[in-house]
Amino acid sequence: MNILIPADDIQLRVRSLAEEIRRDHPGGVHLVCVLKGAFMFLADLARELSGDATLDFMAVSSYGTSTSSSGQVQILKDLDAGIEERDVVIVEDIVDTGLTLTYLQDILRARSPRSLRTACLLSKPSRRKVNVKVEYIGFEIEDKFVVGYGLDHAEKYRNLPYIAVIGD
């Protein structure tokens, strides 16, 4: 494995993203973490946010144990609380084809939040199959399979404090 994004660079960017989110949501924000991959990003982002922030979690799957998206999305765990009239930010680990995120945004938008935005740690624009809006992007990366900082391959490598490329 080769380190693509060192831990220090991730922490600096997460701090900057938290400032952007707070600027856009001075009255507070409801963060919806997409499990499992975004849990580290959410934890660090939430700690960097000043003011009111609430958290909830969803689990969706489009990969299984493969390294490429199946294109079919399953909700494995839904939110515990309603989001009506709340300022919501989806916290996602990586936006690849955009199919999973588009599906998730559509589901959450139908629940009538006051606003709905998305923060992703990593974006692979070269892989997009649909045009999906992401307001807060940590890093744009090339089309490589990455692990670490919550991202996995067959449930391994989530605990790495950096982002690494598998197979390079």
Side-chain angles (χ1 to χ4, degrees):
M1 279 193 288
N2 294 323
I3 295 177
L4 180 65
I5 306 172
D8 289 345
D9 291 359
I10 293 170
Q11 294 309 312
L12 286 172
R13 187 65 185 124
V14 168
R15 193 169 299 125
S16 176
L17 289 171
E19 290 170 6
E20 291 178 45
I21 291 168
R22 179 54 61 213
R23 183 190 64 235
D24 293 344
H25 301 284
V29 66
H30 185 66
L31 303 175
V32 173
C33 177
V34 182
L35 294 172
K36 296 177 188 172
F39 78 98
M40 282 193 179
F41 180 35
L42 170 83
D44 288 345
L45 187 65
R47 285 191 294 250
E48 292 294 338
L49 280 171
S50 58
D52 290 339
T54 54
L55 313 174
D56 206 343
F57 301 88
M58 286 189 85
V60 297
S61 177
S62 64
Y63 282 84
T65 58
S66 174
T67 60
S68 62
S69 176
S70 67
Q72 295 180 326
V73 181
Q74 289 180 289
I75 293 181
L76 305 175
K77 182 210 174 300
D78 207 342
L79 298 175
D80 292 330
I83 59 169
E84 298 79 17
E85 292 305 311
R86 298 177 91 174
D87 291 315
V88 175
V89 174
I90 299 168
V91 180
E92 179 66 286
D93 55 358
I94 190 166
V95 180
D96 194 331
T97 63
L99 295 170
T100 301
L101 181 57
T102 298
Y103 177 79
L104 192 56
Q105 287 174 339
D106 289 346
I107 287 171
L108 295 181
R109 200 172 288 112
R111 297 178 186 185
S112 304
R114 181 173 26 243
S115 67
L116 181 66
R117 294 183 177 166
T118 301
C120 74
L121 179 66
L122 303 173
S123 176
K124 290 184 187 178
S126 68
R127 297 265 303 144
R128 290 293 190 283
K129 291 185 178 177
V130 294
N131 186 17
V132 62
K133 189 171 186 179
V134 181
E135 290 80 2
Y136 312 103
I137 298 173
F139 302 92
E140 283 193 2
I141 63 170
E142 294 178 22
D143 184 17
K144 306 233 183 239
F145 193 82
V146 293
V147 296
Y149 196 69
L151 289 94
D152 76 301
H153 173 56
E155 296 298 326
K156 296 178 184 172
Y157 311 113
R158 290 189 195 277
N159 60 312
L160 299 175
Y162 49 80
I163 302 293
V165 177
I166 286 189
D168 254 13

